[in-house]
Amino acid sequence: MREEMAVREATRLSSKLIYEVIRRDGEEELERPTRSLIWSGVAAGILISFSVLGEAIFRTYLPDAPWRFLVENLGYSFGFLLVILGRMQLFTENTITTILPLVAERSGTCLAAVARLWGIVLAANIIGALVAAAFMTQTSGIAPDLLGTINGLSHHATGFAPSEGFLRAIPAGILVASIVWMMPSQNGGEVVLIVIFTWLIAAGDFTHIIAGSVEMWVLILQGELTVHPALFGFFLPVLAGNIVGGTLVFALLAWGQVKAEIEEED
């Protein structure tokens, strides 16, 4: 009996089982009340600001050395740890979690439910990012030298050409979706998984729509970025890239792994 339990614990989850876990999770998310989605989404938008703050702290206080860039990007993981382990609603996670039920069901009703959740969560995330940015820029809660570093990071994150921002957002969408896909098979290794993949987003200089929105609002609130270039030069291209990476690329590849097995059961 003990040997059998040891074998079951050591056996990796199959792609089919991982797919089923995420699909059911997506179905539950689609059924959540609007108020719950809003509060969870706002909280995620606020907490993701700790990715910007963590990176800024490392950059400000680490010595100016060639290795600093790789170490400072570990700070980018802080916000994602809070959001993902706290089970908050983050838009880029939902690009795979809720799309799997849609790919499986392929109905207008499910499409409407996905569009509803995406719209609510995205808007709530952006509001939360605004609240966090307002705290950083409109209060004395952040030290001046730290705020200066945050401004530098924000100018870099929002300074790409629209086409480049879109392309850099695709790997970020894939990496966040990869975290979602790999989480069900983790047994105590969730923190390491999240840190490695989100560090890779920062170290690879990829763009993430929600963490980047904190930086976007930081500049807007200080008058260093206007709404039009923020929307069309940063927000929409990066949003599209994250969706392409998280949905059209990764979710469809994930579905492709199990499609034949699922259809055989039907």
Side-chain angles (χ1 to χ4, degrees):
M1 184 64 179
R2 290 181 179 177
E3 291 181 356
E4 179 63 24
M5 292 179 63
V7 170
R8 290 182 179 180
E9 290 177 359
T11 301
R12 293 190 307 168
L13 290 178
S14 67
S15 296
K16 181 181 174 182
L17 288 177
I18 293 174
Y19 160 81
E20 186 61 21
V21 169
I22 298 174
R23 186 189 66 80
R24 292 185 183 184
D25 188 36
E27 288 181 343
E28 291 178 3
E29 295 295 335
L30 291 174
E31 294 173 358
R32 291 188 68 182
T34 299
R35 182 177 297 179
S36 297
L37 293 175
I38 291 173
W39 282 110
S40 183
V42 170
I46 294 173
L47 292 177
I48 202 68
S49 67
F50 283 91
S51 287
V52 179
L53 185 59
E55 188 175 357
I57 289 172
F58 280 143
R59 175 172 291 191
T60 300
Y61 299 111
L62 283 175
D64 188 7
W67 48 264
R68 187 184 71 177
F69 176 77
L70 295 178
V71 175
E72 73 184 29
N73 285 306
L74 287 172
Y76 193 75
S77 302
F78 294 168
F80 286 92
L81 285 168
L82 289 170
V83 170
I84 297 174
L85 295 181
R87 300 286 293 175
M88 304 298 176
Q89 287 286 339
L90 186 66
F91 176 78
T92 46
E93 281 190 276
N94 286 325
T95 55
I96 180 172
T97 304
T98 57
I99 206 68
L100 290 186
L102 176 61
V103 172
E105 187 174 326
R106 284 169 282 187
S107 69
T109 301
C110 190
L111 177 61
V114 170
R116 164 188 166 271
L117 184 141
W118 280 19
I120 292 172
V121 171
L122 179 61
N125 285 170
I126 300 309
I127 291 171
L130 171 59
V131 172
F135 176 82
M136 291 178 179
T137 60
Q138 308 302 310
T139 75
S140 58
I142 302 296
D145 54 346
L146 196 55
L147 180 58
T149 305
I150 292 173
N151 286 336
L153 291 171
S154 300
H155 278 290
H156 176 74
T158 60
F160 297 111
S163 59
E164 186 175 358
F166 169 77
L167 292 173
R168 287 175 180 261
I170 293 175
I174 294 173
L175 289 169
V176 173
S178 299
I179 294 173
V180 175
W181 184 259
M182 296 173 69
M183 284 289 281
S185 62
Q186 299 303 302
N187 185 19
E190 293 85 357
V191 171
V192 174
L193 173 70
I194 295 168
V195 168
I196 290 175
F197 277 71
T198 53
W199 171 84
L200 190 57
I201 292 174
D205 216 7
F206 303 131
T207 49
H208 184 270
I209 186 58
I210 308 304
S213 290
V214 176
E215 296 166 314
M216 176 189 75
W217 282 122
V218 162
L219 297 181
I220 290 175
L221 291 174
Q222 296 179 100
E224 298 182 27
L225 183 66
T226 58
V227 174
H228 187 274
L231 181 62
F232 294 100
F234 168 76
F235 187 84
L236 292 178
V238 173
L239 175 64
N242 283 169
I243 291 175
V244 168
T247 300
L248 296 183
V249 176
F250 193 90
L252 293 182
L253 288 176
W255 167 247
Q257 292 187 67
V258 299
K259 181 175 181 292
E261 298 170 72
I262 299 297
E263 291 179 346
E264 283 179 6
E265 290 185 354
D266 296 338

